[in-house]
Amino acid sequence: MVLRIGRKMIIRRVGLPFCFFAFIATGCGGGNSGSASPTSPTPTSTAPSTPAPATPTPAPPAPATPAGPVTFKVDGVATNAASATGSFTNAILSIGATDTTRGTTIGFAFAPTATAVGTYTLGPLTNATAQLLVGNPASGWQAGLGTGSGTITLTALTSTTATGTFAFSMAAVAGTGATGTKSITEGAFNVTLTAPAPPPTTPSGGSTFTTLIDGVPWTSSVSRRATMTNNFLTITGQDTNLRVISFAVPLSAGLLIPPSGPATISLDLSPEIHGAASMVLGAQNWDNGHAGGAGTFTVTAISATRVSGTFTVTLVNNPLNVVPVPTVRLTNGTFDMALERF
């Protein structure tokens, strides 16, 4: 540093490193001792690059064949129903299946269109219905007209087989001990269709459940069951068309001590305690809970292991039906069934 005082100059050295001045050109770490010359930028190639060949998108895999005739998940728990039945009668396709290891039964029915294949929706406007039974005694959930939701997709239908998928959100059925909803996911079916069989002369277990529907014979040729729970007797039967007829009647304490004598329960809408009767066929529902529904249900004999009786009842249209159904009359009804008590 140079200081001028009067005519004298005083030179003072300040020890700043050389690299402070040469910092920008060479950096403090050394470099060329001479002056740095600018470096020409490396030219960037502008030639277009050849794109890599596109990888073809693989085709979606074909739907896997179910491990059993009917498979599905109940609230995420896998179920493989090894026992399954299917029928296509009177324009109604019905599928039913049971996983005995889990005590779970599922069934659904719908009326396919002329093209058959396609997706059928369960909801307020539907011709499809589904039901789920879990446990013993069975708690029930359902989806269909006015309750629950879901879809059934029919991918193939022949004279002998039906294949497709399904998924349901099912609501609890009052009076069965069921609560909340059940989610049915990843459902798949590949079943062999059976032609309607003549009514068996002696159904399995020696149980019978028959009636005349407007004079036409009906029998529970596929399944039937009688249970006694909390003083309620429940009788249910199903035929090959998935037509289900059910009764739920209260019994007095005296009838719980076998053997007991006959007892008749009203099926009308009187103020007294009375029983309930219903019939379901696809999206069509009948019951005795509306004006015109009336009848009687008589227990003629009951023991610790068996129950028998008769019934006659008029069933009327359930207002939930999208298309009203005509009143039907069940006459000459009889049942003689093994009884399960809980």
Side-chain angles (χ1 to χ4, degrees), residues 33 50 53 57-58 75 84 106 118 122 166 185-186 197 210 216 272 310:
S33 59
T50 303
T57 302
D75 292 338
I106 195 167
L122 287 76
F166 58 91
T185 57
E186 299 182 35
T210 64
V216 178
E272 291 78 19
T310 62

Side-chain angles (χ1 to χ4, degrees), residues 153-176:
T153 299
L154 185 62
T155 56
L157 177 64
T158 70
S159 60
T160 57
T161 61
T163 304
T165 60
F166 58 91
F168 308 123
S169 176
M170 312 184 84
V173 177
T176 66

Side-chain angles (χ1 to χ4, degrees), residues 28-225:
C28 193
N32 296 330
S33 59
S35 60
S37 60
T39 303
S40 299
T42 303
T44 302
S45 173
T46 59
S49 60
T50 303
T55 302
T57 302
T65 301
V70 178
T71 59
F72 55 98
K73 289 184 177 181
V74 181
D75 292 338
V77 178
T79 301
N80 183 10
S83 174
T85 60
S87 68
F88 187 30
T89 307
N90 297 331
I92 295 176
L93 176 62
S94 60
I95 307 292
T98 299
D99 182 348
T100 55
T101 62
R102 296 185 178 278
T104 301
T105 297
I106 195 167
F108 50 89
F110 61 102
T113 62
T115 56
V117 298
T119 297
Y120 300 82
T121 301
L122 287 76
L125 300 175
T126 180
N127 68 354
T129 185
Q131 58 185 348
L132 176 73
L133 301 176
V134 178
N136 188 1
S139 298
W141 289 262
Q142 63 184 358
L145 183 65
T147 184
S149 60
T151 58
I152 303 168
T153 299
L154 185 62
T155 56
L157 177 64
T158 70
S159 60
T160 57
T161 61
T163 304
T165 60
F166 58 91
F168 308 123
S169 176
M170 312 184 84
V173 177
T176 66
T179 59
T181 61
K182 288 291 185 185
S183 176
I184 306 300
T185 57
E186 299 182 35
F189 60 92
N190 184 12
V191 298
T192 299
L193 302 179
T194 57
T201 55
T202 304
S204 59
S207 296
T208 59
F209 179 20
T210 64
T211 190
L212 298 178
I213 302 176
D214 288 338
V216 178
W218 176 91
T219 184
S220 57
S221 54
V222 171
S223 64
R224 69 217 58 82
R225 192 179 189 190

Side-chain angles (χ1 to χ4, degrees), residues 15-31:
L16 292 177
F18 173 77
C19 67
F20 176 80
F21 300 97
F23 164 71
I24 297 177
T26 62
C28 193

